[in-house]
Amino acid sequence: MPLDQSPGAEAFARFFEAVHEGVYIGVLRPDDSFTLAANPYLKLIFGYTADVPDGDVRPFDPDRFVDPQARADFVEKLATGGAVSDFLLRLRRAGNRTFWVEVTAQADRPDASGAVRIEALVRDVSERKRLEDQARDLYHQLLQAEKMASLGQTISGVAHELNNPLATILTWAERLAVGARDETTKRGLEHILHESQRAARIVRSLLTFARKRQSTRSLVDLNQVIRETLALRTYEQRVANITTIEALAAGLPQAFADGHQMQQVLLNLIINAEQAMLAANGRGTLVVRTWHDAARDRVMLEIGDDGPGIPEEVQPKVFDPFFTTKEVGKGTGLGLTVAYAIIEEHGGRISLESRPDTGASFFVELPVSDIGVPAIGEALEARPAGRRLAGAAVLVVEDEPALAAAVADALRDAGYLADLARDGEEAIERIDARAYDVVICDLKMPRVDGTAFYRHAAATAPTLTRRIVFVTGDVVGTEAERFLAESGCRWLAKPFRLAELLRIVRDVADA
C-alpha cells in the first residue's frame, strides 16, 4: 500500500515493481523474520508467483539457510556494522532447491529483543558461482595433472627396478619347471609364476592409472580375467544381495589383448549393472556368459542384469562422453566411453541390448588370436628348428646380472650360442668384433642405453638393426615408444614369459 500519492512515491513504486533485482524490506529476529515488502523479482528468484502476499515471502527465515551458522553471521554483521555488501549466502528456494545469492543491505540498530530492520537488494548469482566453481575445478585438475606427471616419472623408475627382478624370477621358474617331476615342486613353481605375474600386473596398473597409459598386450584367457574380476566384487555383491551366474564356455580361444584393460572394461560393466539393479530393486541377478562365435572367429562376452533396463531414447547416448543417468557425484559419464574405446582399439565391438523392465545386456566381442601359449612345464620343450636355429649367435645386452645370466642360460638350453654384454658400451665392442644373428637388448641402461646402441648399429652394421629385440620395463607413453615405432624393432615388456622371448628370437633368427 503506497505511503503517499506524490509523483516521487509513484516513481519509486514503479521502480520497486520493475527492477530486475530482488528488493526486500523487513525485520530479522533471532528465530524468524517479518516481511514488510518484497518486490516481484524477489518472489521470482525465490520460486514464488507474483501474486503471493509479501508477508508469505520470508527469504531470511532460519529454514531458508543451508548453513544455520551463515544466518547468525549475516545477522551479526548487520547488527554490528549496520550494512553488508555483496554478502554471499546459500539459500533455499520454494521447494527446497538450493541456490546462491549476494545480498547488499543496510540495517537499523537492533532493538531490545535483538530484531534488526533491514532494506536489502538480493541478486541470484548461481550461474556465476557455477562458472567460478568450474574454473576452480579446472585449476585443481591442472594441479592434479602436474602431480600425476611427476608421479608418472617416479613410477616409471620404480617399474624398471621392480620388473627386472620379476623377469628374473619368471625366467628361472620357467626353466626349473621343465625338469620338475615332483608334484610339490611343480606346484610351488606354479605359485611362483602366478604371484610374479600378479606383481607385474600391479606395476602395470600403477602405470596405467598414474599416467593414463595403455599397457602391453599378450595372449589372454578371457574366462580367467572374468573370474579374477568377479573375485574383486565378491564382498560387495554379497552384502548387496546380488547373485552372479557364471556361464563361461570351456575351451574358449585366447584373445590377444591387454588383460588389465579387459579387467577395466569388465569392472565398468559389472559395477554399472550392480548400481542399476540396486537402485531399482535393492538386489539383483548378474549373468556373465562367454562363448566362441566360430562363424566369425570371435570371442563373445555378455554382461546381463535384471535391473530396470535402459530406455530406448537413451540407448544411443550411453557410450557418449560425460553422459550419465546417475545422480550428481555418483558417476562421471566416462565408464562406458572408456570401455568402448578400449574394445574398439582391440579390434572388437561393444553393444547394448535392453528393453524396459527386463534388464540390460552389454555384449563384447574380441578377435580370436591364432598364437598359442605353452603351459608351465612346456615352455622350453623342443620346437621345430628353423633353418638358422642350431648354433645361431645371440647377444644379450642387460645391466641386471641375474636376469642376463638366466636369459643366456635359457638360450643355450634352446641350442643358441649366447654372449653377454653388461651395457650398451660393451655391446658396441662386441658387435664391432663379430657378427650376431640376434641381439636382445635392454632399452634403459647406464652409460650407453639401448637407443644409443641402436644408432651405432645403424651406422656401422645396418642389417643388424632388423635383428635387435628390445626388452624394457616401461615403454608406452614415453619417448621409448616413439623410438620403437620409428625403428620398427620387436620388443617385449618386462617381466616377460621366457617362452614368448624364445619364440621371438626364433622368428628373428629364421628371418
Side-chain angles (χ1 to χ4, degrees):
M1 182 167 58
L3 299 178
D4 60 56
Q5 300 297 323
S6 67
E10 291 178 4
F12 175 78
R14 288 196 301 271
F15 174 77
F16 183 81
E17 296 290 325
V19 67
H20 275 231
E21 286 205 23
V23 181
Y24 172 83
I25 303 172
V27 177
L28 305 188
R29 294 181 290 220
D31 298 322
D32 60 3
S33 66
F34 177 77
T35 301
L36 298 171
N39 76 336
Y41 199 78
L42 183 77
K43 297 175 183 178
L44 175 66
I45 64 176
F46 274 88
Y48 296 99
T49 58
D51 58 355
V52 170
D54 291 4
D56 292 346
V57 181
R58 297 188 296 276
F60 299 117
D61 264 7
D63 62 357
R64 295 292 94 191
F65 285 75
V66 174
D67 177 10
Q69 184 60 41
R71 186 181 193 271
D73 295 342
F74 177 60
V75 173
E76 182 182 1
K77 184 95 172 176
L78 288 168
T80 57
V84 295
S85 179
D86 298 335
F87 198 95
L88 187 65
L89 294 171
R90 193 178 184 196
L91 303 179
R92 292 188 176 92
R93 289 189 173 101
N96 284 329
R97 292 174 300 156
T98 62
F99 73 123
W100 291 93
V101 299
E102 274 184 352
V103 181
T104 297
Q106 62 181 17
D108 296 340
R109 290 182 177 277
D111 61 19
S113 66
V116 179
R117 185 183 186 279
I118 73 166
E119 297 161 354
L121 292 178
V122 182
R123 292 179 293 279
D124 183 347
V125 294
S126 299
E127 180 62 17
R128 191 193 76 195
K129 189 73 167 58
R130 184 184 68 82
L131 294 174
E132 289 174 352
D133 290 344
Q134 282 184 346
R136 185 173 59 254
D137 289 345
L138 178 59
Y139 173 71
H140 288 307
Q141 287 173 20
L142 291 173
L143 285 180
Q144 183 67 10
E146 185 176 341
K147 290 179 184 177
M148 295 302 276
S150 176
L151 178 62
Q153 292 177 356
T154 303
I155 289 178
S156 176
V158 172
H160 184 78
E161 293 303 315
L162 288 177
N163 282 328
N164 278 323
L166 285 172
T168 305
I169 294 168
L170 280 168
T171 301
W172 273 107
E174 287 193 73
R175 289 192 65 214
L176 292 172
V178 176
R181 294 294 178 262
D182 177 74
E183 286 302 317
T184 302
T185 302
K186 185 175 288 189
R187 187 166 59 252
L189 290 168
E190 286 176 350
H191 284 304
I192 291 171
L193 276 169
H194 181 269
E195 294 304 309
S196 299
Q197 290 173 318
R198 178 187 173 195
R201 285 194 297 271
I202 292 170
V203 173
R204 286 198 296 271
S205 298
L206 288 171
L207 290 169
T208 299
F209 286 108
R211 298 178 65 175
K212 309 300 182 188
R213 61 176 59 204
Q214 306 166 16
S215 44
T216 307
R217 298 182 193 178
S218 59
L219 289 173
V220 168
D221 180 347
L222 188 60
N223 284 346
Q224 184 61 27
V225 175
I226 291 169
R227 293 186 187 101
E228 291 176 358
T229 306
L230 288 173
L232 297 175
R233 302 298 302 166
T234 299
Y235 175 77
E236 286 81 0
Q237 290 179 354
R238 186 170 68 250
V239 299
N241 295 316
I242 291 175
T243 302
T244 298
I245 299 174
E246 295 181 31
L248 307 182
L252 192 70
Q254 292 180 317
F256 189 66
D258 181 332
H260 176 77
Q261 287 188 333
M262 288 301 104
Q263 189 173 76
Q264 186 177 355
V265 170
L266 285 164
L267 279 173
N268 284 341
L269 296 177
I270 290 169
I271 292 172
N272 273 356
E274 291 171 356
Q275 291 175 342
M277 291 186 290
L278 290 176
N281 309 318
R283 60 184 304 116
T285 300
L286 182 75
V287 177
V288 183
R289 187 166 68 101
T290 61
W291 69 96
H292 178 213
D293 185 342
R296 296 187 303 137
D297 205 20
R298 295 259 163 161
V299 174
M300 305 294 296
L301 161 69
E302 177 187 1
I303 304 289
D305 66 67
D306 61 353
I310 299 174
E312 189 173 347
E313 65 274 12
V314 172
Q315 292 181 25
K317 304 176 184 177
V318 294
F319 297 110
D320 291 349
F322 305 109
F323 177 80
T324 180
T325 58
K326 300 173 186 175
E327 296 178 20
V328 175
K330 293 191 175 180
T332 63
L334 288 174
L336 289 177
T337 305
V338 170
Y340 184 90
I342 289 173
I343 298 303
E344 286 283 311
E345 187 183 358
H346 279 73
R349 183 171 176 266
I350 183 169
S351 58
L352 163 67
E353 289 184 9
S354 178
R355 292 189 301 275
D357 302 321
T358 60
S361 288
F362 283 89
F363 295 88
V364 174
E365 57 182 71
L366 292 168
V368 170
S369 173
D370 57 359
I371 304 172
V373 168
I376 182 168
E378 301 173 353
L380 303 181
E381 287 183 358
R383 295 170 175 261
R387 57 186 172 85
R388 300 186 61 187
L389 174 59
V394 181
L395 176 63
V396 179
V397 188
E398 173 60 62
D399 62 314
E400 287 286 328
L403 178 57
V407 171
D409 288 346
L411 289 167
R412 293 180 187 119
D413 290 346
Y416 295 97
L417 300 176
D419 286 342
L420 291 176
R422 290 169 297 182
D423 55 33
E425 187 174 317
E426 187 174 335
I428 288 172
E429 294 174 1
R430 288 193 173 273
I431 66 169
D432 287 345
R434 63 163 296 181
Y436 287 95
D437 298 290
V438 183
V439 176
I440 302 170
C441 184
D442 193 3
L443 200 55
K444 187 176 180 180
M445 296 179 292
R447 298 199 297 178
V448 176
D449 62 10
T451 303
F453 168 74
Y454 175 88
R455 289 176 181 144
H456 175 85
T460 60
T463 58
L464 181 62
T465 58
R466 296 193 298 272
R467 288 177 272 122
I468 298 175
V469 179
F470 285 105
V471 292
T472 181
D474 183 22
V475 167
V476 182
T478 65
E479 288 292 333
E481 182 182 31
R482 286 181 282 277
F483 162 71
L484 290 172
E486 291 169 3
S487 68
C489 290
R490 303 281 291 272
W491 66 277
L492 275 174
K494 293 179 181 177
F496 46 79
R497 291 296 295 267
L498 186 54
E500 191 175 4
L501 175 65
L502 291 176
R503 178 181 62 80
I504 290 177
V505 169
R506 187 185 71 247
D507 291 346
V508 173
D510 286 349

